[in-house]
């Protein structure tokens, strides 16, 4: 499977704005993830080929950032920050709570394919930790009650068949 | 304009563009600054933080490897702050290190060990469980290299080596932080370069070990002497590591003009030829249809008889002989026996050319240029023949020429039984010589660089230098 024409066109348009081809790897990965929901090994190879880079240059970026999904994710992707700022404010307790409620460990997807729970690296909102990213949206200053409230809301939305949960504020045309 | 910085109170000159570490190395003060990620043959990364030094008027400690030296800089490598920082870095590097030095092949030449003795904090405040990479604890990356990821200090020298030096890009770091791990970029392809041994050389710890040397010898038993690699016409400088005349490995020896910091695997493994069990190390004489070991006097007398009774003798000198040997043979044989000799050289690898962007050459003999310099013409084709006696002189590297219409062959140099077997019963005398690591001489490499070398090990058999061999041929 090669990259779609839409992505290729977009990357070609971006090329002049980036100093090196390697700098285009992250935009390319974002585009692929937006299109397919994850970054597979095949698409890494496609990007490497399209940008004329060794495969490792793409793979090391993908494995470095937790924001790229290496496996398919559920309809709702809970990404809880586990770094120092959030951890000091009790993100480990929130993680335990979520694991119990969803009956999965972090890094796993529920059998019904609705939820994926991940422990991620710094989300860049350390001032308002603990932070939970639900799909694209940030939820800050969480505690167990707020978290329960949030998860109830998400549950209701999934039940109602909503499609853009956690993407209310997300506009793919703005970035990059 | 003078370019001076002060390192520990002593003025040191530097060249514009040098970093502090390079300036210190230039002045012979490199030992004052410990380092892991820095290697002179690789791009600078500045990741290990071991080389931090205190620079006056700079608020933070600076990495010596990546801070450009400027005139008037005052550098302190021994201040309390620096020592404390180094101890801290050492403590962090050792938190996850398995400390399995007793079974680690790198022990004795490990930078982690050395630096810990010098700068380490002695104790550790780490009480938690160590990180263990169970799958990569002993992982064969290729037939040549074994990776032990638990020992890795994540300096990424090997990654930069495959990326920037050999440009094969076959090693990479995946994941991040605690989970960061060195892997092959492509498990199916594996390591593809011909310079894998260098990974083991540049690894500051025992993460990469070279399988050929792994568990063969403790490094502190080895004597090191410089020599020149004779596996191809490049003539890379090597250091021969041996104990009691037995070679255990070749390592590259820095020479900016020839090989830089590297050698190829083919050259690295070529020491096996010197140590070959079937190499002939005693003079042999044909007797009743087979070759029997004999004394030098008897062998010399046999050669004397053969050459004296012949009217036409062809001498083929392999292009793996030194300049001195070529000149000596060309001068001494006619001097002893008169003008019945016809000299030529033999290489056996055809036209020389570069095989990659680094060091490997197609001509697998070290001295083709030397043969031309000694006015030896290359043998026409691969055939020696139409003469009474053929003398074949070769030191293990050049091809073996074919002999036709000549019933008497004298063989001199480094040969294995198999190579001699190709001549059948025509071999009359075999006189063992010395291989490159065992003798002194001069080679002229493919770029015209003339390199002298001295013996790195003592020959363990009865082989002799060519002048001693010829001294047994009496007039």
């Amino acid at each position: 499977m090669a990259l779609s024409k839409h992505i290729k066109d977009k990357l070609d348009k971006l090329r002049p704005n980036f100093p090196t081809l390697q700098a285009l790897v992250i935009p390319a990965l974002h585009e692929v993830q937006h299109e397919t929901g994850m970054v597979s090994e095949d698409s890494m190879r496609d990007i490497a080929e399209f940008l004329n880079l060794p495969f490792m240059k793409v793979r090391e970026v993908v494995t470095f950032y937790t924001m790229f999904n290496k496996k398919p994710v559920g309809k709702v992707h809970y990404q809880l920050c586990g770094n120092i700022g959030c951890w000091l404010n009790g993100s480990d307790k929130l993680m335990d709570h979520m694991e119990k409620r969803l009956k999965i460990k972090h890094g796993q997807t529920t059998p019904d394919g609705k939820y994926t729970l991940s422990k991620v690296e710094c989300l860049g909102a350390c001032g308002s930790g603990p932070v939970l990213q639900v799909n694209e949206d940030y939820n800050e200053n969480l505690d167990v009650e707020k978290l329960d409230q949030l998860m109830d809301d998400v549950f209701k939305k999934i039940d109602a068949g909503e499609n853009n949960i956690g993407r209310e504020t997300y506009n793919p045309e703005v970035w990059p | 304009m003078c370019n001076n910085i002060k390192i520990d109170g002593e003025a040191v000159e530097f060249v514009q563009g040098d970093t502090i570490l390079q300036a210190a190395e230039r002045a012979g003060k490199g030992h004052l600054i410990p380092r892991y990620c820095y290697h002179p043959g690789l791009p600078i990364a500045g990741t290990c933080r071991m080389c931090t030094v205190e620079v006056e008027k700079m608020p933070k400690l600076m990495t010596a490897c990546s801070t450009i030296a400027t005139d008037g800089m005052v550098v302190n490598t021994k201040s309390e702050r620096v020592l404390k920082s180094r101890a801290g870095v050492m403590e962090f590097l050792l938190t996850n290190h398995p400390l399995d030095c007793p079974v680690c092949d790198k022990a004795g030449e490990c930078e982690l060990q050395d630096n810990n003795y010098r700068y380490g904090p002695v104790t550790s405040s780490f009480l938690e469980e160590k990180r263990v990479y169970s799958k990569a604890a002993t992982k064969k990356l290729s037939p040549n290299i074994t990776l032990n990821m638990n020992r890795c200090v994540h300096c990424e020298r090997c990654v930069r080596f495959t990326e920037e030096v050999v440009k094969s890009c076959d090693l990479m770091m995946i994941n991040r932080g605690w989970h960061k791990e060195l892997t092959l970029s492509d498990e199916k392809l594996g390591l593809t370069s011909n310079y894998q041994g260098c990974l083991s050389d540049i690894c500051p710890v025992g993460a990469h070990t070279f399988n050929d040397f792994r568990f063969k010898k403790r490094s502190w038993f080895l004597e090191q002497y410089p020599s020149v690699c004779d596996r191809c016409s490049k003539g890379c400088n090597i250091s021969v590591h041996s104990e009691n005349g037995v070679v255990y490995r070749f390592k590259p020896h820095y020479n900016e003009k020839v090989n830089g910091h590297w050698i190829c695997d083919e050259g690295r493994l070529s020491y096996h030829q010197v140590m070959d069990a079937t190499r002939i190390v005693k003079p042999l004489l044909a007797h009743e249809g087979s070759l029997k070991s004999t004394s030098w006097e008897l062998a010399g007398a046999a050669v004397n008889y053969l050459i004296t009774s012949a009217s036409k003798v062809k001498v083929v000198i392999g292009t793996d002989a030194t300049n001195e040997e070529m000149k000596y043979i060309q001068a001494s044989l006619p001097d002893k026996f008169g003008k019945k000799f016809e000299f030529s050289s033999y290489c056996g690898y055809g036209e020389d050319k570069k095989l990659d962007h680094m060091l490997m050459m197609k001509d697998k003999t070290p001295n083709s240029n030397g043969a031309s310099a000694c006015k030896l013409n290359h043998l026409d084709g691969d055939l020696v023949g139409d003469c009474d006696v053929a003398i074949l002189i070769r030191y293990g590297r050049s091809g073996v020429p074919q002999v036709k219409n000549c019933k008497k062959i004298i063989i001199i140099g480094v040969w294995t039984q198999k190579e001699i077997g190709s001549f059948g019963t025509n071999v009359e005398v075999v006189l063992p010589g010395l291989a490159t690591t065992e003798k002194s001489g001069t080679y002229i490499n493919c770029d015209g660089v003339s390199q002298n070398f001295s013996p790195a090990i003592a020959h363990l058999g009865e082989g002799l230098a060519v002048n001693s061999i010829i001294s047994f041929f009496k007039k």
Side-chain angles (χ1 to χ4, degrees):
Chain A
M1 191 189 76
L3 293 178
S4 73
K5 191 170 176 300
H6 170 72
I7 295 179
K8 280 183 182 171
D9 288 348
K10 205 158 179 184
L11 289 177
D12 280 333
K13 215 161 75 188
L14 286 172
R15 253 176 228 256
N17 303 345
F18 286 76
T20 58
L21 282 175
Q22 205 181 337
L24 265 171
V25 169
I26 287 190
L29 290 168
H30 273 300
E31 290 299 331
V32 168
Q33 174 149 315
H34 183 67
E35 194 175 273
T36 62
M38 62 173 284
V39 182
S40 65
E41 201 188 308
D42 284 341
S43 41
M44 284 187 236
R45 281 183 199 279
D46 293 337
I47 292 171
E49 197 187 323
F50 183 68
L51 296 178
N52 218 350
L53 291 169
F55 172 57
M56 57 150 315
K57 293 273 182 203
V58 182
R59 189 175 166 212
E60 68 185 6
V61 174
V62 175
T63 54
F64 183 84
Y65 291 108
T66 46
M67 64 187 173
F68 296 119
N69 307 327
K70 276 124 297 202
K71 287 187 282 187
V73 291
K75 206 167 182 183
V76 172
H77 190 187
Y78 286 126
Q79 303 177 64
L80 184 66
C81 173
N83 275 181
I84 187 81
C86 295
W87 178 75
L88 286 174
N89 281 320
S91 73
D92 51 337
K93 288 184 195 88
L94 298 187
M95 182 54 88
D96 287 345
H97 184 73
M98 289 172 88
E99 284 180 346
K100 261 181 221 148
R101 223 183 122 162
L102 297 171
K103 298 194 183 75
I104 49 172
K105 293 276 167 212
H106 63 86
Q108 294 177 336
T109 305
T110 50
D112 58 8
K114 279 182 184 160
Y115 301 99
T116 299
L117 181 59
S118 304
K119 188 171 171 182
V120 298
E121 303 290 332
C122 188
L123 291 170
C126 310
S128 47
V131 185
L132 174 71
Q133 189 182 348
V134 182
N135 285 349
E136 313 293 346
D137 286 352
Y138 274 26
N139 297 277
E140 295 160 65
N141 291 318
L142 289 175
D143 50 35
V144 176
E145 288 88 65
K146 278 188 194 164
L147 181 67
D148 266 331
Q149 179 73 43
L150 177 82
M151 290 176 86
D152 289 339
D153 283 353
V154 170
F155 182 80
K156 275 177 209 151
K157 280 178 186 167
I158 287 186
D159 244 14
E162 254 185 63
N163 271 328
N164 58 343
I165 304 162
R167 292 205 174 86
E168 286 90 347
T169 58
Y170 178 70
N171 179 2
E173 296 310 315
V174 176
W175 196 96
Chain B
M1 195 183 88
C2 78
N3 282 329
N4 271 316
I5 61 170
K6 262 192 178 172
I7 297 180
D8 290 347
E10 244 180 87
V12 163
E13 255 184 60
F14 68 95
V15 178
Q16 205 68 42
D18 270 359
T19 64
I20 296 173
L21 183 48
Q22 281 161 343
E25 295 247 291
R26 219 179 273 279
K29 289 173 172 295
H31 61 281
L32 293 173
I33 306 173
R35 77 295 300 264
Y36 291 110
C37 69
Y38 175 82
H39 186 279
L42 300 171
I44 289 163
T47 53
C48 72
R49 318 312 287 181
M50 192 63 194
C51 67
T52 48
V53 290
E54 196 165 0
V55 180
E56 255 177 39
K57 290 176 191 158
M58 288 199 181
K60 287 208 272 185
L61 294 179
M62 303 303 288
T63 48
C65 72
S66 61
T67 309
I68 302 290
T70 47
D71 196 31
M73 228 177 211
V74 180
V75 177
N76 196 342
T77 68
K78 286 177 186 154
S79 74
E80 205 176 309
R81 259 175 93 199
V82 172
L83 293 178
K84 203 179 159 197
S85 152
R86 281 180 197 161
V89 172
M90 278 313 305
E91 190 179 344
F92 272 117
L93 286 176
L94 290 174
T95 54
N96 283 312
H97 192 80
L99 300 172
D100 57 349
C101 310
V103 295
C104 176
D105 226 31
K106 204 66 166 229
E109 50 181 4
C110 169
E111 289 172 41
L112 199 64
Q113 255 184 347
D114 295 349
N115 286 335
N116 196 39
Y117 282 125
R118 273 182 221 134
Y119 308 111
V122 184
T123 54
S124 170
S125 40
F126 187 74
L127 301 170
E128 291 76 5
E129 261 187 47
K130 294 202 182 220
R131 170 188 57 198
V132 176
Y133 296 96
S134 49
K135 277 184 195 158
T138 314
K139 183 177 165 191
K140 279 214 164 154
L141 294 183
S142 78
N144 282 333
I145 289 287
T146 302
L147 168 71
N148 185 329
M149 194 55 213
N150 294 331
R151 293 177 188 151
C152 179
V153 292
H154 301 89
C155 68
E156 297 195 28
R157 276 188 195 179
C158 52
V159 177
R160 278 174 285 145
F161 175 74
T162 58
E163 219 178 288
E164 306 284 341
V165 180
V166 297
K167 301 193 195 302
S168 61
C169 289
D170 38 30
L171 282 174
M172 63 173 287
M173 287 284 181
I174 56 164
N175 301 335
R176 121 185 202 178
W178 182 259
H179 304 286
K180 190 168 180 174
E181 184 181 351
L182 180 77
T183 51
L184 292 163
S185 316
D186 200 324
E187 295 286 340
K188 283 173 223 147
L189 289 177
L191 288 177
T192 53
S193 81
N194 291 316
Y195 298 85
Q196 295 169 17
C198 298
L199 294 174
S200 160
D201 293 341
I202 58 173
C203 184
V205 294
H208 289 293
T209 40
F210 196 56
N211 289 348
D212 184 68
F213 179 70
R214 197 171 146 84
F215 302 139
K216 292 281 156 59
K217 202 69 187 168
R218 285 316 221 162
S219 63
W220 53 85
F221 291 122
L222 296 169
E223 294 177 345
Q224 304 179 12
Y225 291 101
S227 187
V228 172
C229 176
D230 59 359
R231 194 69 191 97
C232 79
S233 59
K234 194 79 189 180
C236 297
N237 292 29
I238 51 171
S239 131
V240 178
H241 291 210
S242 65
E243 190 198 26
N244 299 331
V246 178
V247 181
Y248 285 91
R249 62 175 169 185
F250 285 170
K251 273 196 154 197
H253 191 90
Y254 178 65
N255 185 340
E256 196 189 340
K257 278 184 192 152
V258 183
N259 57 319
H261 297 273
W262 324 115
I263 56 170
C264 68
D265 289 344
E266 213 177 315
R268 190 183 292 268
L269 291 169
S270 68
Y271 77 88
H272 286 296
Q273 174 252 0
V274 184
M275 291 290 124
D276 196 323
T278 64
R279 176 181 161 192
I280 290 166
V281 288
K282 277 183 174 177
L284 304 178
L285 191 58
H287 180 63
E288 292 174 346
S290 67
L291 289 164
K292 303 263 162 55
S293 69
T294 181
S295 69
W296 278 103
E297 285 76 14
L298 274 175
V303 173
N304 190 24
Y305 170 74
L306 283 169
I307 300 181
T308 325
S309 55
S311 56
K312 192 180 176 194
V313 180
K314 282 195 177 171
V315 184
V316 180
I317 308 174
T319 50
D320 45 5
T322 61
N323 290 354
E324 290 79 359
E325 284 165 336
M326 291 178 186
K327 280 179 195 155
Y328 188 80
I329 292 162
Q330 285 185 83
S332 65
L333 286 180
D335 188 41
K336 280 186 187 263
F337 298 101
K339 286 189 174 173
K340 53 173 95 169
F341 296 97
E342 196 186 311
F343 293 97
S344 56
S345 69
Y346 183 70
C347 159
Y349 290 96
E351 191 76 17
D352 198 9
K353 66 169 186 200
K354 277 180 99 102
L355 293 180
D356 58 17
H357 67 284
M358 286 184 68
L359 305 168
M360 291 171 89
M361 302 296 290
K362 188 172 168 234
D363 179 357
K364 297 296 178 198
T365 63
N367 205 19
S368 288
N369 277 349
S372 327
C374 295
K375 300 189 180 69
L376 277 172
N377 291 323
H378 196 270
L379 191 68
D380 232 2
D382 298 329
L383 272 182
V384 193
D386 303 321
C387 55
D388 302 317
V389 174
I391 303 180
L392 306 180
I393 303 166
R394 169 184 175 274
Y395 291 89
R397 294 303 184 210
S398 70
V400 179
Q402 291 164 7
V403 181
K404 230 181 188 180
N405 292 338
C406 174
K407 290 284 167 217
K408 295 191 168 70
I409 304 174
I410 298 168
I411 280 181
I412 300 176
V414 178
W415 297 73
T416 63
Q417 273 157 6
K418 197 178 151 206
E419 284 158 353
I420 287 181
S422 65
F423 302 119
T425 53
N426 291 341
V427 180
E428 293 288 335
V429 188
V430 182
L431 305 169
L434 301 179
T436 305
T437 47
E438 297 161 349
K439 65 188 174 190
S440 58
T442 311
Y443 288 148
I444 301 177
N445 87 343
C446 58
D447 305 319
V449 180
S450 175
Q451 303 191 89
N452 300 359
F453 52 90
S454 306
I457 53 165
H459 179 56
L460 291 178
E462 291 177 25
L464 290 174
V466 77
N467 54 342
S468 310
I469 294 175
I470 291 178
S471 72
F472 283 103
F473 309 169
K474 295 205 181 67
K475 215 168 198 174

